[in-house]
Amino acid sequence: MGLSDFNALLSYAKYVSSHVEEVIYDLLNKEPQKLYDASKHLIKAGGKRLRPLALVLSGRMYGLPENLGFIAGAAVEILHNFTLVHDDIMDKDTFRRGVPTVHVLYGVDMAILAGDTLFAKAYEALGLLERYVPAERLVKAFKELTWAAVTVAEGQALDMDFEGRMDVSLEEYLTMIYKKTAALFKASLNIGALLAGAPEKELKLLSEFAEGVGIAFQIRDDVLGLVGDEKTLGKPIYSDLREGKKTVLVIYALSKLSNEEKERISKVLGNRSASVEELRKVAELIISTGAVDYAEKLADEYLSRGLNALNMTNPQDFEAKEMLKNLALYVTSRTY
Amino acid sequence: MGLSDFNALLSYAKYVSSHVEEVIYDLLNKEPQKLYDASKHLIKAGGKRLRPLALVLSGRMYGLPENLGFIAGAAVEILHNFTLVHDDIMDKDTFRRGVPTVHVLYGVDMAILAGDTLFAKAYEALGLLERYVPAERLVKAFKELTWAAVTVAEGQALDMDFEGRMDVSLEEYLTMIYKKTAALFKASLNIGALLAGAPEKELKLLSEFAEGVGIAFQIRDDVLGLVGDEKTLGKPIYSDLREGKKTVLVIYALSKLSNEEKERISKVLGNRSASVEELRKVAELIISTGAVDYAEKLADEYLSRGLNALNMTNPQDFEAKEMLKNLALYVTSRTY
């Protein structure tokens, strides 16, 4: 992707983002004040709004007017933020996007309720489309959003279960990140296309695209969690290790290390009182196995599969397709 | 309501309940096992399935086939259970329906996730109707369910806020219980009628019916919490007082008592380490003001309003209308 493509994408992303946020705040500037303040907190803190962007672009590919994409985009962005608010409680994460998490600021009870409110508001956003799209398509969009919500919860359950296990396989990891990360990206692309009335064959290709890009994105995110810095991450370094997350890097390293080294890792992984120095040593041990290279190759493979599927789509708006390709390259790029 | 009417209602309730549960378990017998075990726990523990019953009956009034009512009934019952699972975390309730609550058995994290899963599954249940009802009606049902989910969350936020206040007015209390209790009852009745294609005028009457009955039901529940026994309640006695809930009884009593007596109450209300003896004394003080009589009169008033609205409906199935009336009488009856 050239610099001008990149700039065009970023500028379009900003344009979409501002319109999507307008829809979101219309839905969330309500009372009781404290409930909606807690509900807005994480959204206000930032975020790249990648899912609405993907939705607007897939919609455009098959003729959905942008302004309808903004509304449906608000739905997937709100749903995404709901999952983050609740995940942060479960993972005991205290920072995200460079600010304290909702439960830290408002308490666990209010964070649970704020998440629930966001969940419902995602559906309310979709419901705004009632007058503008054929009901058959809107029902399919509701079902797709629901599939994503169920699947993301199942993914989070697996992720939590894996924290207590040292024998997680690569296959299990891939299933988990498909559910936890790729599913909502897939739903975003499908909702755009469904609302536009795209044919089944195109939906299938978009799903393959989303699966590949979503998994590549999560693998890259796991790599970033090991080698990135706090500023880029917006949260404390090594939090994946501290929480005992079984990322592809950990799984690969465990398969390569001696029993003695494994023992060393297992003492630190998931140990919430481990020092940064201990965590750093474990990170170095993991990196020494070549886990980062391995993970990056795996991510590349998934990205290629995704891009091949996108390449085979046959939309009416080729500029949107091109931007979607650039979006995929951007979110999976290795600029740590 | 005569004994034979009562028996007919109970027998129909059982019939509906068993069909609704079939739909529910089809949606929840899934993996990961632990997530779905936690999600099913409270539903398995029992419950009267009043909301699905109301939905099936309102649907029947305007010609909705029963089997479609069972599916939509599963949606509102699952949504109801989602709210209970999360409310129990927030209210720190350890027993419900005579069994330990989900967060006690599975931990807070899993209970949050189980609630989220139920929330999504409620929508999945509605989505099952795609092939059987016109899409326009189904979209309206999705919107009604969403309205209820948003409103119930707002009601819970008010309820929590009131716990920390001693100056809650009767009007605020009524708004809160409308949102927390009546809203989902209203949505249940409306979804049945919407799916049947009932005219706007009938929907409005059903909403008034639901509002009256829902509020009367909650007032009765609050009275039960003060004068009922643990076996009937399925949870520890005086938990409303221990949690500092501002029920109509507390609000009425506070308006009648001397400053000294108010002081006594405020020391115990919301004090989680208060002894049963202290709570009992406060309960007696509240009862001595005539709060129970007052609450019962208020409940009767709301019930009458509700029944008047139902009386004005003009359905095609009068047996269903009669059963709905009996349902209202049953859930608001004073047999403590």
Side-chain angles (χ1 to χ4, degrees), chain B residues 131-258:
Chain B
R131 276 183 288 173
Y132 307 106
V133 299
E136 287 76 13
R137 294 183 191 174
L138 191 49
V139 165
K140 288 193 193 307
F142 273 120
K143 290 184 74 169
E144 185 71 15
L145 191 71
T146 300
W147 171 83
V150 169
T151 305
V152 170
E154 291 174 355
Q156 172 68 1
L158 294 177
D159 196 15
M160 282 160 57
D161 179 52
F162 293 174
E163 286 175 16
R165 287 175 46 197
M166 290 297 280
D167 62 345
V168 178
S169 69
L170 181 66
E171 202 189 332
E172 288 178 300
Y173 164 80
L174 290 170
T175 300
M176 185 273 283
I177 65 172
Y178 169 74
K179 291 188 170 215
K180 205 174 154 171
T181 304
L184 185 55
F185 193 59
K186 169 181 171 299
S188 302
L189 286 156
N190 278 343
I191 289 172
L194 281 168
L195 292 174
E200 189 61 42
K201 184 174 152 278
E202 298 292 302
L203 291 167
K204 210 161 162 285
L205 289 169
L206 287 176
S207 297
E208 283 173 41
F209 167 68
E211 181 171 349
V213 175
I215 290 178
F217 170 78
Q218 186 58 53
I219 294 174
R220 169 192 169 273
D221 204 56
D222 288 347
V223 173
L224 259 181
L226 197 75
V227 305
D229 58 34
E230 301 209 349
K231 212 185 141 204
T232 322
L233 296 173
K235 59 181 183 182
I237 198 167
Y238 302 139
S239 46
D240 283 350
L241 296 179
R242 184 174 275 119
E243 290 162 15
K245 297 286 183 197
K246 296 304 174 301
T247 66
V248 58
L249 303 141
V250 171
I251 293 166
Y252 181 85
L254 287 173
S255 77
K256 295 289 162 187
L257 293 170
S258 68

Side-chain angles (χ1 to χ4, degrees), chain A residues 257-315:
Chain A
L257 294 170
S258 68
N259 283 339
E260 192 203 337
E261 288 165 322
K262 272 193 229 176
E263 190 71 13
R264 264 179 61 203
I265 288 195
S266 75
K267 274 186 188 146
V268 175
L269 272 187
N271 174 356
R272 289 181 185 269
S273 53
S275 69
V276 175
E277 200 40 45
E278 285 172 304
L279 291 165
R280 190 188 317 280
K281 275 186 186 155
V282 164
E284 278 163 11
L285 189 57
I286 292 169
I287 291 167
S288 76
T289 63
V292 172
D293 271 4
Y294 174 79
E296 283 178 347
K297 274 190 193 120
L298 192 64
D300 285 349
E301 211 178 283
Y302 275 95
L303 178 61
S304 294
R305 275 194 228 173
L307 291 175
N308 281 340
L310 181 68
N311 200 34
M312 287 161 70
T313 59
N314 192 18

Side-chain angles (χ1 to χ4, degrees), chain A residues 28-42:
Chain A
L28 297 179
N29 286 334
K30 305 279 173 185
E31 296 194 328
Q33 176 122 26
K34 197 176 156 199
L35 174 65
Y36 284 102
D37 282 350
S39 303
K40 280 182 286 192
H41 169 69
L42 190 59

Side-chain angles (χ1 to χ4, degrees), chain A residues 203-262:
Chain A
L203 291 167
K204 211 164 160 283
L205 289 169
L206 287 176
S207 297
E208 284 174 39
F209 167 69
E211 181 171 350
V213 175
I215 290 178
F217 169 79
Q218 186 57 52
I219 294 174
R220 168 192 170 273
D221 204 57
D222 288 346
V223 173
L224 260 182
L226 197 75
V227 305
D229 58 33
E230 301 208 352
K231 211 185 143 206
T232 322
L233 296 174
K235 59 181 182 181
I237 197 167
Y238 303 138
S239 48
D240 283 349
L241 296 178
R242 185 172 277 119
E243 290 163 17
K245 295 285 183 197
K246 296 305 172 303
T247 67
V248 58
L249 302 141
V250 171
I251 292 167
Y252 181 84
L254 287 173
S255 77
K256 294 291 163 186
L257 294 170
S258 68
N259 283 339
E260 192 203 337
E261 288 165 322
K262 272 193 229 176

Side-chain angles (χ1 to χ4, degrees), chain B residues 37-312:
Chain B
D37 281 351
S39 303
K40 280 181 287 193
H41 169 69
L42 190 59
I43 295 175
K44 276 178 148 175
K48 292 189 278 299
R49 322 295 185 212
L50 296 175
R51 291 156 193 83
L53 179 58
L55 189 153
V56 169
L57 289 171
S58 74
R60 269 184 54 184
M61 279 172 68
Y62 305 98
L64 186 74
E66 264 180 349
N67 58 331
L68 302 187
F70 300 150
I71 296 173
V76 296
E77 182 64 22
I78 295 172
L79 192 81
H80 173 57
N81 278 274
F82 140 68
T83 65
L84 297 180
V85 170
H86 280 190
D87 284 3
D88 284 342
I89 303 173
M90 299 178 223
D91 292 341
K92 292 169 191 61
D93 277 322
T94 53
F95 269 83
R96 183 185 285 279
R97 295 175 182 164
V99 297
T101 46
V102 180
H103 64 100
V104 168
L105 283 179
Y106 292 88
V108 168
D109 292 347
M110 188 50 82
I112 293 172
L113 200 56
D116 294 345
T117 304
L118 289 171
F119 197 161
K121 286 282 171 176
Y123 283 92
E124 192 176 325
L126 262 197
L128 295 174
L129 292 171
E130 186 183 18
R131 276 183 288 173
Y132 307 106
V133 299
E136 287 76 13
R137 294 183 191 174
L138 191 49
V139 165
K140 288 193 193 307
F142 273 120
K143 290 184 74 169
E144 185 71 15
L145 191 71
T146 300
W147 171 83
V150 169
T151 305
V152 170
E154 291 174 355
Q156 172 68 1
L158 294 177
D159 196 15
M160 282 160 57
D161 179 52
F162 293 174
E163 286 175 16
R165 287 175 46 197
M166 290 297 280
D167 62 345
V168 178
S169 69
L170 181 66
E171 202 189 332
E172 288 178 300
Y173 164 80
L174 290 170
T175 300
M176 185 273 283
I177 65 172
Y178 169 74
K179 291 188 170 215
K180 205 174 154 171
T181 304
L184 185 55
F185 193 59
K186 169 181 171 299
S188 302
L189 286 156
N190 278 343
I191 289 172
L194 281 168
L195 292 174
E200 189 61 42
K201 184 174 152 278
E202 298 292 302
L203 291 167
K204 210 161 162 285
L205 289 169
L206 287 176
S207 297
E208 283 173 41
F209 167 68
E211 181 171 349
V213 175
I215 290 178
F217 170 78
Q218 186 58 53
I219 294 174
R220 169 192 169 273
D221 204 56
D222 288 347
V223 173
L224 259 181
L226 197 75
V227 305
D229 58 34
E230 301 209 349
K231 212 185 141 204
T232 322
L233 296 173
K235 59 181 183 182
I237 198 167
Y238 302 139
S239 46
D240 283 350
L241 296 179
R242 184 174 275 119
E243 290 162 15
K245 297 286 183 197
K246 296 304 174 301
T247 66
V248 58
L249 303 141
V250 171
I251 293 166
Y252 181 85
L254 287 173
S255 77
K256 295 289 162 187
L257 293 170
S258 68
N259 283 340
E260 191 203 337
E261 288 165 322
K262 272 193 229 176
E263 190 72 11
R264 264 179 61 201
I265 287 196
S266 75
K267 272 185 189 148
V268 175
L269 270 187
N271 174 358
R272 287 180 187 272
S273 52
S275 69
V276 175
E277 201 38 45
E278 285 172 304
L279 292 165
R280 191 188 317 279
K281 276 186 187 154
V282 165
E284 277 163 12
L285 189 57
I286 292 170
I287 291 168
S288 76
T289 63
V292 172
D293 270 3
Y294 175 78
E296 282 178 349
K297 274 192 194 117
L298 193 64
D300 285 348
E301 211 178 284
Y302 275 95
L303 178 62
S304 294
R305 276 195 226 171
L307 291 175
N308 281 341
L310 181 69
N311 200 35
M312 287 162 70

Side-chain angles (χ1 to χ4, degrees), chain A residues 64-328:
Chain A
L64 186 75
E66 263 179 349
N67 58 331
L68 303 187
F70 300 150
I71 296 172
V76 296
E77 182 64 21
I78 295 172
L79 193 81
H80 173 56
N81 278 273
F82 139 67
T83 67
L84 297 179
V85 171
H86 280 190
D87 283 4
D88 284 343
I89 304 173
M90 300 179 223
D91 293 342
K92 293 167 191 60
D93 277 322
T94 53
F95 270 83
R96 182 185 287 277
R97 295 175 182 165
V99 297
T101 46
V102 180
H103 64 100
V104 168
L105 284 179
Y106 294 87
V108 169
D109 292 347
M110 189 49 84
I112 293 172
L113 200 57
D116 294 347
T117 303
L118 290 171
F119 197 160
K121 286 283 172 176
Y123 282 93
E124 191 176 326
L126 262 196
L128 295 174
L129 292 170
E130 186 183 19
R131 274 182 289 173
Y132 307 106
V133 298
E136 287 75 13
R137 294 183 191 173
L138 191 49
V139 165
K140 287 192 193 308
F142 272 119
K143 290 184 73 170
E144 186 70 15
L145 191 72
T146 300
W147 170 84
V150 170
T151 305
V152 169
E154 291 174 353
Q156 172 69 0
L158 293 177
D159 196 15
M160 282 160 58
D161 179 52
F162 293 174
E163 286 175 16
R165 286 175 46 196
M166 291 296 281
D167 62 346
V168 177
S169 69
L170 181 65
E171 202 190 330
E172 287 179 301
Y173 164 79
L174 290 169
T175 299
M176 184 272 283
I177 65 172
Y178 168 74
K179 289 187 170 218
K180 204 175 155 170
T181 304
L184 185 55
F185 193 59
K186 170 182 170 297
S188 301
L189 287 155
N190 278 343
I191 289 172
L194 280 168
L195 292 174
E200 189 62 41
K201 185 173 152 278
E202 298 292 302
L203 291 167
K204 211 164 160 283
L205 289 169
L206 287 176
S207 297
E208 284 174 39
F209 167 69
E211 181 171 350
V213 175
I215 290 178
F217 169 79
Q218 186 57 52
I219 294 174
R220 168 192 170 273
D221 204 57
D222 288 346
V223 173
L224 260 182
L226 197 75
V227 305
D229 58 33
E230 301 208 352
K231 211 185 143 206
T232 322
L233 296 174
K235 59 181 182 181
I237 197 167
Y238 303 138
S239 48
D240 283 349
L241 296 178
R242 185 172 277 119
E243 290 163 17
K245 295 285 183 197
K246 296 305 172 303
T247 67
V248 58
L249 302 141
V250 171
I251 292 167
Y252 181 84
L254 287 173
S255 77
K256 294 291 163 186
L257 294 170
S258 68
N259 283 339
E260 192 203 337
E261 288 165 322
K262 272 193 229 176
E263 190 71 13
R264 264 179 61 203
I265 288 195
S266 75
K267 274 186 188 146
V268 175
L269 272 187
N271 174 356
R272 289 181 185 269
S273 53
S275 69
V276 175
E277 200 40 45
E278 285 172 304
L279 291 165
R280 190 188 317 280
K281 275 186 186 155
V282 164
E284 278 163 11
L285 189 57
I286 292 169
I287 291 167
S288 76
T289 63
V292 172
D293 271 4
Y294 174 79
E296 283 178 347
K297 274 190 193 120
L298 192 64
D300 285 349
E301 211 178 283
Y302 275 95
L303 178 61
S304 294
R305 275 194 228 173
L307 291 175
N308 281 340
L310 181 68
N311 200 34
M312 287 161 70
T313 59
N314 192 18
Q316 53 196 74
D317 178 342
F318 279 89
E319 189 196 45
K321 174 172 170 171
E322 186 67 18
M323 274 206 266
L324 209 44
K325 187 183 111 190
N326 289 334
L327 172 64

